[in-house]
């Protein structure tokens, strides 16, 4: 409250109040307001720079938490990378190798992204480096997964082909082990039962009673089931594809016809002694690209290691063949 001031008025012979002029009052008010404003601004400026508000404190905490979460995310990515590189290693060293596919080069698996900067939007902040690096890692992991997934698709197709191939090649013994009276004679130099001189025996002989079942040793198509080939008597030829043909000779009876499709293990005929044969037995041959090869190497399908080793010993004896 400002003091009230008076002056003496000679006309009225009395003291009169001095009225302060309105403009002066406004001026004082303006100065006061300006001063307050400047002081206010200074206060806010200082406060905002040197004192944290509760809101800022909360934001800082949130930022700290975000950085922590990013760190954890990067640790999880370490684990994902380890697992992924394990899978890639197995893929290159086992799966692709087994199916005769070329390994995928490391640089192709680890390739980043060239060309345009895809992280531009993330730049220009205090945390940019952390966020960009994390994004880059994740993008590369994602790409590695795509490459790996494509590789496995390829392997699946190759495996399917391999399955058909494995089912096709003649890979079991054509007469059951328990039906054999004797594993007679193998592939190699043997004494001819008729001439008694050494001669190359191009197949394997399995001695079994007449009528013993004979099984197809692999999937294929019957190309011949007749008795018009010299020496073989009644015989069957199965074309397995991939250059493989199996031949079953001296049969007593057929159980298949020409052009019939057969599966491995199908009963195709019965042991006999037709053709150039000394006693009931099955003479078995395998052709690969029209060359007769030793059938002993193809019995992994249904023999135990012990049985295989016994068979190997017996088949390598230079005894007399049954032809
Ligand atoms: Zn023979």
């Amino acid at each position: 409250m400002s003091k009230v001031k008076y002056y003496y008025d000679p006309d009225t012979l009395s003291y009169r109040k001095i009225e302060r002029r309105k403009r002066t009052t406004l001026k004082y008010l303006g100065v006061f307001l300006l001063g307050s404003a400047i002081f206010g601004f200074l206060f806010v400026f200082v406060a905002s720079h040197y004192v944290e508000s509760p809101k800022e404190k909360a934001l800082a905490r949130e930022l700290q938490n975000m950085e922590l979460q990013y760190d954890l995310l990067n640790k999880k990515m370490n684990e994902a990378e380890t697992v992924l590189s394990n899978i890639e290693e197995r893929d290159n060293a086992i799966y692709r190798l087994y199916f005769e596919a070329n390994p995928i080069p490391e640089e192709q698996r680890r390739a980043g992204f060239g060309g345009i900067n895809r992280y531009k939007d993330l730049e220009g902040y205090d945390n940019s480096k952390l966020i960009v690096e994390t994004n880059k890692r994740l993008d590369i992991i994602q790409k590695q997964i795509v490459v790996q997934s494509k590789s496995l698709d390829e392997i699946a197709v190759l495996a399917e082909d391999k399955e058909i191939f494995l089912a096709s090649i003649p890979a079991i013994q054509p007469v059951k082990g328990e039906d054999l009276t004797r594993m007679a004679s193998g592939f190699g130099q043997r004494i001819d039962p008729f001439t008694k001189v050494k001669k190359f025996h191009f197949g394997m002989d399995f001695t079994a009673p007449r009528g013993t079942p004979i099984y197809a040793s692999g999937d294929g198509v019957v190309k011949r089931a007749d008795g018009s080939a010299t020496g073989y008597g009644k015989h069957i030829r199965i074309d397995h594809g991939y250059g493989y043909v199996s031949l079953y000779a001296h049969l007593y009876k057929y159980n298949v016809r020409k052009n019939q499709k057969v599966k491995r293990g199908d009963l195709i005929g019965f042991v006999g002694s037709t053709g150039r044969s000394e006693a009931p037995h099955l003479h078995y041959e395998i052709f690969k690209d029209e060359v007769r090869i030793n059938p002993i190497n193809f019995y992994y399908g249904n023999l135990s290691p012990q049985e295989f080793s016994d068979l190997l010993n017996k088949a390598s004896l230079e005894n007399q063949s049954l032809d």
Side-chain angles (χ1 to χ4, degrees):
M1 235 342 175
S2 56
K3 266 189 213 162
V4 180
K5 290 182 177 168
Y6 300 91
Y7 73 96
Y8 183 72
D9 183 357
D11 296 334
T12 58
L13 301 178
S14 63
Y15 286 96
R16 293 184 72 125
K17 218 191 225 173
I18 298 170
E19 293 286 344
R20 195 189 265 166
R21 294 177 68 185
K22 263 205 175 131
R23 201 180 285 176
T24 318
T25 316
L26 277 175
K27 202 165 91 190
Y28 281 137
L29 188 70
V31 168
F32 173 74
L33 283 176
L34 191 68
S36 305
I38 289 169
F39 181 76
F41 275 125
L42 274 172
F43 179 79
V44 169
F45 180 79
V46 170
S48 67
H49 272 75
Y50 300 102
V51 185
E52 271 189 344
S53 73
K55 198 176 170 188
E56 279 171 334
K57 267 185 191 161
L59 282 174
R61 261 208 311 275
E62 215 157 285
L63 206 59
Q64 230 173 5
N65 180 47
M66 194 205 72
E67 275 170 14
L68 180 75
Q69 295 305 325
Y70 263 89
D71 278 348
L72 290 174
L73 215 55
N74 271 291
K75 284 202 178 88
K76 280 183 186 173
M77 276 194 268
N78 288 346
E79 288 167 25
E81 277 171 350
T82 308
V83 172
L84 200 55
S85 80
N86 260 329
I87 295 171
E88 287 169 344
E89 229 174 87
R90 258 183 292 168
D91 187 43
N92 271 348
I94 302 173
Y95 309 144
R96 298 188 68 84
L97 192 74
Y98 182 75
F99 292 105
E100 289 152 45
N102 289 327
I104 296 174
E106 190 72 358
E107 53 271 28
Q108 193 183 324
R109 287 191 185 271
R110 301 260 175 280
F113 298 89
I116 50 149
N117 181 8
R118 49 170 57 216
Y119 307 105
K120 213 167 183 167
D121 290 350
L122 304 173
E123 283 169 359
Y125 300 93
D126 287 349
N127 294 312
S128 284
K129 195 170 175 247
L130 177 67
I131 295 170
V132 167
E133 288 308 311
T134 308
N135 267 282
K136 268 187 194 165
R137 280 186 80 185
L138 206 55
D139 284 346
I140 291 174
I141 290 175
Q142 205 171 16
K143 199 177 169 192
Q144 275 172 269
I145 291 172
V146 171
V147 171
Q148 184 54 54
S149 169
K150 277 190 184 156
S151 170
L152 289 175
D153 286 348
E154 208 180 312
I155 296 292
V157 172
L158 292 172
E160 213 172 298
D161 289 349
K162 195 92 167 183
E163 207 175 340
I164 296 169
F165 168 75
L166 287 175
S168 298
I169 56 167
I172 61 164
Q173 192 173 286
V175 178
K176 273 188 191 162
E178 56 264 35
D179 291 338
L180 298 180
T181 51
R182 193 157 64 96
M183 207 330 276
S185 190
F187 186 90
Q189 289 292 346
R190 296 290 180 274
I191 296 158
D192 187 287
F194 298 99
T195 62
K196 306 291 179 195
V197 293
K198 273 195 176 184
K199 195 181 96 176
F200 202 91
H201 186 235
F202 286 102
M204 267 185 120
D205 291 342
F206 298 92
T207 317
R210 171 175 287 141
T212 302
I214 298 166
Y215 305 100
S217 53
D219 294 3
V221 180
V222 177
K223 286 290 165 191
R224 287 185 72 162
D226 60 73
S228 56
T230 334
Y232 288 133
K234 287 185 178 175
H235 81 297
I236 292 170
R237 279 172 197 256
I238 297 174
D239 187 346
H240 303 279
Y242 307 96
Y244 288 98
V245 170
S246 58
L247 183 148
Y248 313 77
H250 314 303
L251 269 51
Y252 169 57
K253 262 183 0 186
Y254 304 110
N255 199 43
V256 287
R257 276 166 286 115
K258 194 183 166 182
N259 293 329
Q260 189 175 326
K261 273 190 183 172
V262 289
K263 290 264 170 206
R264 175 178 296 147
D266 282 357
L267 203 170
I268 54 169
F270 302 92
V271 171
S273 194
T274 57
R276 198 174 185 273
S277 167
E278 203 195 31
H281 78 288
L282 169 70
H283 173 88
Y284 177 64
E285 293 182 1
I286 292 180
F287 294 76
K288 172 75 172 88
D289 299 326
E290 291 169 16
V291 174
R292 285 180 286 193
I293 55 174
N294 194 346
I296 189 81
N297 300 316
F298 289 87
Y299 299 140
Y300 48 81
N302 63 342
L303 294 181
S304 70
Q306 186 56 48
E307 285 170 325
F308 184 78
S309 130
D310 288 350
L311 185 68
L312 199 63
N313 286 332
K314 286 175 187 163
S316 58
L317 293 174
E318 265 197 48
N319 56 5
Q320 183 177 302
S321 68
L322 292 161
D323 252 35

